[in-house]
Amino acid sequence: MVDVPYDAVTEVPPAEVAEVDLYHPRSWWTRYVFSQDAKVIAIQYSLTATAIGLVALVLSWLMRLQLGFPGTFSFIDANQYLQFITMHGMIMVIYLLTALFLGGFGNYLIPLMVGARDMVFPYVNMLSYWIYLLAVLVLASTFFVPGGPTGAGWTLYPPQAILAGTPGQDWGIVLMLASLILFIIGFTMGGLNYVVTVLQARTRGMTLMRMPLTVWGIFTATIMALLAFPALFVASVMMLFDRLLGTSFFMPALVEMGQQMKYGGGSPILFQHLFWFFGHPEVYIVALPAFGIVSDLISVHARKNIFGYRMMVWAIVAIGALSFIVWAHHMYVSGMHPKFGFFFATTTLIIAVPTAIKVYNWVLTLWRGDIHLTVPMLFALGFIITFVNGGLTGLFLGNVVVDVPLSDTMFVVAHFHMVMGVAPIMVVLGAIYHWYPKMTGRMLNDALGKFHFWVTFLGAYLIFFPMHYIGLLGVPRRYHDIGEAAFIPSSTHTLNAFISIMALIVGFAQMVFLFNLAWSYFKGRPSGGNPWRATTLEWQTPETPPGHGNWGKELPVVYRWAYDYSVPGAPQDFIPQNQPRATPVLQGAAP
Amino acid sequence: MSAIVLFMAVIAVIAGWWLSQQRLMSKPWLEEGALGDFPAAHEMTWPAAKIGLGVFLAVVGSLFALFISAYSMRMNMTDWRTLPVPGLLWFNTAVLVLSSVALQWAYVAARRDDMEDVVIGLCAGGVAAVTFLVGQLLAWQQLRAAGYFVASNPSNSFFYMITAAHGLHLIGGLVALGRTTAKAWRGVEMPQLRLSVELCAIYWHFLLLIWLALLGLLTGWTDEFVDICRRLLT
Amino acid sequence: MAVAIILLLVAVGSVLFHIYSPWWWTPIATNWSYIDHTISITFWITGVVFFAVIAFMAYCVFRFHHKEGRQAHYNPENKKLEWWLSIGTAIGVAAMLAPGLFVWHQFVTVPADATEIEVMGQQWQWSFRLPGKDGRMGTTDVRYISPENPMGVNRDDKHGQDDVVIESGELHLPVGKPVKVLLRSVDVLHDFYVPEFRAKMDMVPGMVTYFWMTPIRTGTFDVLCAELCGSAHAQMRTKVIVDEQSEYDAWLAQQKTFAELSGRNAVTKATYRSGGK
Ligand code: HEM
Ligand SMILES: [Cu+2]
Ligand SMILES: [Cu+2]
């Protein structure tokens, strides 16, 4: 009888990290405020994003009140409505979702999931947050400047954005552009960290194909953002020139309110190209982290490896690459040369294939699983429904000729809310329920969580599913009041009122969630280090919440991929990534 | 948008090449064990700062490719009057080349462990870069004096905007260069210094490359070149 | 159990809503029923996929939700299944794209016999111009715009003199005749949008865009602006009236030409100049 390990795995000594590499906080200020610890920065990012996100949420109520009950609320006029949609859209897309997924989840999860002690450039990482905060403050300040925030729509199309017929022409638009430029600078600093940390600071044994899909999603999205945000940067700088120095990059000769303007020769379509060269990848910058995170949520809570991991990785990479050659599908009716329609419709619909594969693999992961209907799992299911719905309506809008009647109607509004509003928010919420225990050491309250899920999911679905049909009818977007038109039956007003009431209810449910976050922080059930019995490294830290440097003395060593759930023959239904053998060595067993 | 699409294609090739080394076709669920137990994936051996610089250069490249795209689209509009390129730019270009050469020299010296030459190289590079910036400002002044204002024609607007963007990037580089020089001055050990010097040199070469591309664009040479290529193809 | 049922209900409810919804596209008034057909095809394909995916998911939740002693099946991947699904998806996508591109080709190919008319947007009203007796419209430029010449028609262009100009009024079109609608804006982006026409296109200052269509039924239709253009975007409306030919001719006869509108001296100036050449 000899002592034979169950399988031929050799244990390797963990890598020691020289202490000099780590930054040490010396005071309360450097520990909690000017901290260079990615986990603290993550929380700062998340709280700031949530705060400004609440502003966007309140704006959505005001807009819905106006749309549901036009004329009832005298304090909302046409100009304000435009200012509300602009601020709501911009905040939601950039200052909330992008910041939350990359600055929040990216900062928290990347170092933990790849087994690093921190981001590779902690100081730059800290600067990234403070610049982001500055960008948010500049943005928020536009509510208080003369003329108020810009009402140009979140797309900021010139010439309208910088002319007097649009609210916020003096200060609002200038500060908006300045804020975007700041955001991009701050983001680039953070983004360099996320990318280089994944490239360089993975722990021993963490090959790319052993990374959880969360890391893949955030990593790819960050690369895309780094390459795409410069387009918004260039567009913003050029528009600032037009607005402040009187250049004519985007401004053709024009007559506004009977006045000949000094501009001449510029091209509004040029701006649209630049904007959407950023704008379309932006959709996937929000979607890819959501794809990654939801894959992990489904896998953990169905106790099953994600189905077709390799395909999932390839699909993420393929979607990331393809999304740079579809931008002009937002411009089918912009007046650009019609021949582009053929090209961009084709590339757009091709992206549907890798995207569909991801959906199939999510639902196939559920097949023959051991599905725990926890709150994160519920949100993941909600994500699948809303994402499939929104993705399929994307096939309408991407197919150039179908887009002609539907573009700029409420159909578009319904579509993008489903696919990049509700669906990613489902993932954000699910992810918070999933990782809150790691961040605080306590579980979020389950009953409140289920209430929150059902109201949010069903409510949001009831808001945005019927909205497609208002658009199909022909109601344009960015109208504060449809008014009288022969093609609009009066029942539409009833539907609009219903949607508005649902919006208020969904908003209320978010307050319950915030309460849950606060209450559970003090009173929640202690979670232990690995409440979901998950395999990935962040659940294997020596302390919960993880201490500074994440791993105590020794870095973890990775022996397996991230999805060893329900492996036949293993004593438990999960094997942590840093566990060398599937089963403990059997002393004295027969070979 | 062809410049930026081309740039993205180059990035895609680099990324694809790198990914092809990462065993994306392997079946990770079958590969249990420490890294040494199966054909090892390519490990990243570069220091973080160097990778960081590489990624940053991709971002900067994207930024300028977009400026170039915007330039070439706007150029086709009827109101475009090409700006006469001030002769001073040639002098500035020569100075920028010198600056790059000096930094390269400092880098070579750093590999030789020759601290004195490193300091000389860094200082020379810095002085040349500052000279370049001053030269650029003078070029602006000359243009303004000759009546070419920012807003009078889009080609002027682009000239001021693009040179400003390039200059700002160089100023950012000067901050890093200043810190490196200070380190060298204080007599930091060579192994620590070598990387900083190398990164400065890479950044300088990259900015030189971008400057040459911009110069080609502003003088219209790129345009003629593209035209010739097109004629050759058809 | 309850979860599975609710998920299934979401799918079923969506389909029922679709079928019984009183909110549907407006009856079409042009030749672009092809577009409606393409939308219908897309609805069918996407509807089936939507229902199938959600129903499958609901079934999984029903059948495999956690029970004491259940163990998940271990199955890292199934290349064959994934390939089949990809191919099936590709076929479905092609089935939507092919008719889409086919119709787009028609959409951008203007028939030779289409009459050109012009729609001009400005904050926040619509103006129209129809070719006069000579069947051609004169050139325009924003720089020509003045209180007497709000559409910026070139006074020196003799084709422009007889153009019918309808300043912030309603547009009439004859039924059954293909029209190429030239679109122009003098200030910001607008979009000439008539839901019943299906076709639309942005109006961009500094350039002329277009679409074409053939009205197939008479009636009065609302014109809206579908591209954000500032404060009164939602109020920027007018009507377009599709007439039988005889009524159309009667209407046309009452309209004023550019020369009539811009007064005598403009005309003499123009003839003087062109005569001098
Ligand atoms: C329950 C939550 C939400 C409600 C009730 C809501 C409501 C609205 C409304 C009423 C509009 C204006 C539609 C129009 O008149 O054109 C709008 C626009 C918009 N929303 Fe939301 N929204 C919500 C969440 C989100 C989220 C999570 C996102 C993140 C992607 C988002 C992104 C946008 C964007 C990009 C616009 C377009 C703004 C524009 O037209 O410039 N919304 N939303
Ligand atoms: Cu897009
Ligand atoms: Cu409008």
Side-chain angles (χ1 to χ4, degrees):
Chain A
M1 295 284 171
V2 273
D3 193 343
V4 183
Y6 175 78
D7 43 22
V9 170
T10 42
E11 265 181 79
V12 285
E16 287 271 357
V17 161
E19 281 295 305
V20 287
D21 281 352
L22 263 182
Y23 132 91
H24 283 286
R26 294 218 174 70
S27 67
W28 185 87
W29 279 97
T30 49
R31 183 181 295 271
Y32 295 109
V33 183
F34 296 104
S35 170
Q36 302 183 18
D37 184 336
K39 296 185 294 297
V40 179
I41 297 174
I43 291 170
Q44 291 173 325
Y45 251 113
S46 308
L47 291 180
T48 313
T50 311
I52 194 73
L54 282 176
V55 174
L57 182 67
V58 171
L59 290 177
S60 81
W61 298 341
L62 293 175
M63 287 160 3
R64 272 323 312 184
L65 283 179
Q66 166 63 24
L67 289 182
F69 311 97
T72 318
F73 301 93
S74 53
F75 57 90
I76 308 175
D77 61 19
N79 277 338
Q80 275 169 328
Y81 185 81
L82 292 180
Q83 293 171 321
F84 293 169
I85 61 165
T86 308
M87 295 303 273
H88 163 83
M90 198 64 105
I91 291 174
M92 285 289 190
V93 174
I94 293 185
Y95 298 84
L96 174 72
L97 285 178
T98 308
L100 200 55
F101 271 127
L102 304 181
F105 287 107
N107 262 321
Y108 202 89
L109 293 177
I110 290 177
L112 281 168
M113 283 187 146
V114 303
R117 291 203 182 271
D118 204 331
M119 289 289 180
V120 286
F121 314 120
Y123 182 74
V124 180
N125 204 21
M126 176 186 80
L127 277 188
S128 159
Y129 168 71
W130 290 100
I131 297 180
Y132 165 68
L133 180 65
L134 185 63
V136 168
L137 291 178
V138 171
L139 183 82
S141 73
T142 62
F143 282 108
F144 308 103
V145 296
T150 175
W154 87 283
T155 48
L156 303 179
Y157 279 179
Q160 185 245 130
I162 57 176
L163 291 182
T166 302
Q169 182 241 7
D170 339 303
W171 286 81
I173 183 69
V174 174
L175 289 177
M176 168 66 88
L177 295 172
S179 167
L180 286 174
I181 288 174
L182 283 173
F183 180 92
I184 295 167
I185 293 173
F187 171 76
T188 305
M189 294 180 160
L192 287 176
N193 263 298
Y194 318 149
V195 172
V196 180
T197 303
V198 173
L199 287 179
Q200 206 263 352
R202 278 172 286 137
T203 188
R204 192 175 291 181
M206 180 61 89
T207 62
L208 285 199
M209 291 306 269
R210 281 176 172 177
M211 291 197 309
L213 286 167
T214 299
V215 178
W216 268 107
I218 296 178
F219 173 63
T220 315
T222 308
I223 293 181
M224 291 171 61
L226 284 173
L227 295 173
F229 268 117
L232 183 63
F233 189 91
V234 168
S236 303
V237 169
M238 288 167 72
M239 183 130 75
L240 271 183
F241 267 61
D242 279 3
R243 169 69 183 74
L244 297 177
L245 303 179
T247 58
S248 295
F249 290 121
F250 304 133
M251 303 295 280
L254 51 88
V255 173
E256 213 208 9
M257 318 283 177
Q259 290 293 310
Q260 294 273 358
M261 306 289 283
K262 281 221 181 63
Y263 298 112
S267 162
I269 299 215
L270 171 57
F271 176 88
Q272 300 184 16
H273 278 297
L274 291 174
F275 183 87
W276 289 114
F277 191 83
F278 144 77
H280 185 80
E282 170 63 29
V283 176
Y284 284 95
I285 291 164
V286 172
L288 288 186
F291 289 177
I293 291 173
V294 84
S295 307
D296 286 355
L297 297 188
I298 292 175
S299 173
V300 173
H301 296 271
R303 314 307 298 160
K304 216 180 144 214
N305 63 284
I306 190 77
F307 183 79
Y309 172 81
R310 298 193 297 164
M311 269 292 199
M312 294 301 252
V313 171
W314 302 340
I316 286 182
V317 174
I319 293 172
L322 280 174
S323 62
F324 278 99
I325 48 166
V326 299
W327 75 89
H329 63 208
H330 298 272
M331 299 166 59
Y332 288 144
V333 297
S334 70
M336 67 171 177
H337 197 290
K339 76 173 182 225
F340 289 133
F342 294 104
F343 175 76
F344 284 102
T346 310
T347 51
T348 303
L349 265 66
I350 287 176
I351 289 202
V353 178
T355 312
I357 291 174
K358 296 197 75 82
V359 173
Y360 301 145
N361 285 357
W362 290 322
V363 291
L364 285 170
T365 303
L366 297 174
W367 177 251
R368 301 183 68 182
D370 174 19
I371 302 171
H372 292 247
L373 289 170
T374 54
V375 179
M377 181 54 132
L378 290 176
F379 274 105
L381 298 176
F383 163 82
I384 295 180
I385 296 194
T386 47
F387 182 74
V388 169
N389 189 295
L392 290 171
T393 50
L395 292 171
F396 289 67
L397 300 169
N399 198 353
V400 51
V401 84
V402 177
D403 182 59
V404 170
L406 296 178
S407 63
D408 276 304
T409 65
M410 290 309 273
F411 189 92
V412 175
V413 175
H415 154 73
F416 69 67
H417 275 95
M418 224 27 142
V419 79
M420 75 171 303
V422 181
I425 291 281
M426 289 278 141
V427 176
V428 166
L429 297 174
I432 292 175
Y433 282 92
H434 186 76
W435 278 296
Y436 187 86
K438 180 51 57 178
M439 295 164 72
T440 63
R442 291 178 188 275
M443 305 295 283
L444 280 168
N445 181 293
D446 203 51
L448 286 180
K450 291 203 162 125
F451 170 80
H452 175 218
F453 166 73
W454 286 113
V455 177
T456 308
F457 166 63
L458 292 177
Y461 197 82
L462 287 174
I463 294 172
F464 293 114
F465 186 75
M467 194 185 281
H468 289 93
Y469 292 81
I470 299 184
L472 206 57
L473 194 63
V475 176
R477 72 190 276 205
R478 295 167 170 172
Y479 269 36
H480 70 290
D481 188 354
I482 330 172
E484 288 304 310
F487 66 93
I488 298 168
S490 61
S491 57
T492 312
H493 302 298
T494 322
L495 181 59
N496 260 328
F498 169 79
I499 290 177
S500 297
I501 291 168
M502 288 320 296
L504 293 178
I505 294 176
V506 169
F508 163 74
Q510 308 318 305
M511 302 304 128
V512 175
F513 172 60
L514 291 183
F515 169 76
N516 194 352
L517 284 181
W519 185 82
S520 301
Y521 185 76
F522 301 104
K523 295 280 164 65
R525 186 159 54 79
S527 63
N530 189 0
W532 311 114
R533 308 189 314 135
T535 60
T536 41
L537 289 183
E538 80 274 23
W539 299 106
Q540 326 303 335
T541 53
E543 300 166 72
T544 296
H548 185 65
N550 292 350
W551 306 106
K553 269 217 150 38
E554 294 177 347
L555 282 179
V557 176
V558 172
Y559 293 93
R560 59 193 65 252
W561 72 328
Y563 297 97
D564 265 342
Y565 291 100
S566 304
V567 179
Q572 278 188 309
D573 68 353
F574 73 107
I575 314 171
Q577 279 190 280
N578 59 347
Q579 181 177 314
R581 294 176 186 77
T583 43
V585 177
L586 299 176
Q587 292 290 336
Chain B
M1 300 295 278
S2 37
I4 182 67
V5 172
L6 203 68
F7 178 80
M8 288 295 163
V10 172
I11 296 279
V13 169
I14 295 174
W17 170 82
W18 177 74
L19 281 173
S20 72
Q21 321 260 304
Q22 301 298 320
R23 307 181 61 250
L24 290 197
M25 309 295 277
S26 63
K27 299 185 170 168
W29 55 94
L30 299 179
E31 297 180 341
E32 198 177 47
L35 204 65
D37 292 356
F38 49 88
H42 229 68
E43 260 190 288
M44 213 26 117
T45 45
W46 285 8
K50 197 165 171 183
I51 305 175
L53 180 67
V55 179
F56 181 63
L57 292 187
V59 177
V60 176
S62 162
L63 181 77
F64 281 98
L66 282 152
F67 273 125
I68 293 174
S69 287
Y71 185 95
S72 51
M73 280 192 284
R74 185 66 180 81
M75 196 166 83
N76 294 326
M77 303 280 172
T78 48
D79 63 334
W80 186 272
R81 305 276 170 280
T82 309
L83 182 79
V85 174
L88 188 55
L89 285 197
W90 301 111
F91 172 75
N92 292 349
T93 309
V95 174
L96 194 62
V97 172
L98 278 185
S99 181
S100 242
V101 170
L103 286 191
Q104 181 65 26
W105 193 60
Y107 170 57
V108 173
R111 295 196 21 184
R112 281 201 321 262
D113 273 345
D114 184 341
M115 186 57 91
E116 205 165 305
D117 279 10
V118 170
V119 175
I120 295 176
L122 291 177
C123 290
V127 170
V130 172
T131 315
F132 171 82
L133 289 173
V134 173
Q136 295 288 81
L137 283 178
L138 284 178
W140 279 13
Q141 206 120 55
Q142 288 180 358
L143 283 173
R144 270 233 300 283
Y148 294 99
F149 302 110
V150 191
S152 34
N153 193 272
S155 117
N156 310 2
S157 324
F158 268 111
F159 180 84
Y160 287 103
M161 183 173 68
I162 290 182
T163 47
H166 180 263
L168 284 176
H169 279 86
L170 197 60
I171 291 175
L174 277 174
V175 173
L177 187 69
R179 292 179 51 164
T180 310
T181 318
K183 259 199 259 176
W185 211 264
R186 271 188 279 119
V188 178
E189 276 170 45
M190 191 53 95
Q192 275 184 47
L193 193 64
R194 202 176 286 142
L195 180 64
S196 306
V197 177
E198 185 186 359
L199 298 186
C200 285
I202 295 176
Y203 188 64
W204 246 251
H205 299 337
F206 186 77
L207 282 189
L208 175 65
L209 201 73
I210 290 202
W211 174 248
L212 294 178
L214 295 179
L215 199 65
L217 189 76
L218 297 170
T219 51
W221 289 355
T222 317
D223 232 35
E224 284 162 32
F225 179 73
V226 169
D227 244 24
I228 293 171
C229 292
R230 198 168 290 155
R231 235 170 289 149
L232 285 181
L233 283 177
T234 53
Chain C
M1 187 65 197
V3 176
I5 292 177
I6 298 178
L7 295 182
L8 190 66
L9 276 182
V10 169
V12 174
S14 303
V15 173
L16 290 179
F17 184 92
H18 178 84
I19 296 171
Y20 293 107
S21 159
W23 304 287
W24 195 240
W25 56 52
T26 52
I28 193 164
T30 61
N31 57 321
W32 290 121
S33 52
Y34 296 120
I35 295 184
D36 285 1
H37 299 329
T38 317
I39 299 185
S40 296
I41 295 176
T42 314
F43 260 125
W44 273 105
I45 295 177
T46 55
V48 169
V49 172
F50 177 73
F51 192 83
V53 171
I54 310 297
F56 180 81
M57 191 172 105
Y59 177 74
C60 287
V61 171
F62 163 72
R63 178 70 184 69
F64 303 112
H65 71 94
H66 177 67
K67 272 203 211 112
E68 207 40 52
R70 166 161 284 146
Q71 214 204 2
H73 182 66
Y74 183 78
N75 182 17
E77 69 176 22
N78 180 343
K79 272 269 109 54
K80 220 166 156 187
L81 176 62
E82 286 171 88
W83 280 115
W84 277 118
L85 285 171
S86 313
I87 292 170
T89 310
I91 293 173
V93 165
M96 291 179 278
L97 183 63
L101 293 185
F102 179 75
V103 179
W104 177 246
H105 179 72
Q106 292 180 323
F107 189 82
V108 299
T109 321
V110 187
D113 62 339
T115 329
E116 292 194 342
I117 65 161
E118 183 185 80
V119 182
M120 189 189 92
Q122 78 195 75
Q123 286 172 334
W124 288 276
Q125 61 183 17
W126 305 98
S127 306
F128 305 98
R129 194 156 63 104
L130 308 173
K133 300 262 170 349
D134 62 356
R136 289 180 61 177
M137 278 187 287
T139 52
T140 56
D141 193 307
V142 177
R143 298 289 182 217
Y144 299 138
I145 293 181
S146 64
E148 304 86 61
N149 183 3
M151 289 191 82
V153 178
N154 182 357
R155 293 181 197 282
D156 299 343
D157 185 341
K158 63 179 188 306
H159 296 299
Q161 298 304 324
D162 61 351
D163 289 356
V164 173
V165 171
I166 304 145
E167 212 198 304
S168 60
E170 294 174 354
L171 172 69
H172 286 242
L173 289 173
V175 70
K177 293 259 173 64
V179 281
K180 179 179 185 185
V181 185
L182 299 176
L183 302 161
R184 191 155 73 79
S185 163
V186 300
D187 41 32
V188 301
L189 303 177
H190 301 277
D191 190 308
F192 182 70
Y193 174 44
V194 181
E196 288 86 349
F197 288 176
R198 302 297 187 263
K200 68 164 169 287
M201 191 57 70
D202 278 6
M203 320 167 82
V204 185
M207 59 191 277
V208 178
T209 56
Y210 68 90
F211 66 81
W212 79 274
M213 61 170 182
T214 311
I216 55 165
R217 67 182 170 90
T218 57
T220 303
F221 307 107
D222 290 291
V223 177
L224 295 90
C225 178
E227 186 65 73
L228 181 56
C229 57
S231 309
H233 169 53
Q235 279 92 31
M236 182 169 162
R237 302 196 184 190
T238 184
K239 294 213 156 40
V240 49
I241 296 136
V242 178
D243 289 327
E244 295 295 348
Q245 187 69 44
S246 54
E247 291 162 41
Y248 175 76
D249 291 338
W251 169 82
L252 192 61
Q254 290 168 4
Q255 302 308 309
K256 296 248 166 22
T257 64
F258 174 66
E260 284 165 355
L261 277 175
S262 55
R264 277 271 150 235
N265 42 1
V267 179
T268 39
K269 221 160 69 188
T271 40
Y272 168 74
R273 275 216 202 133
S274 51
K277 264 187 210 153

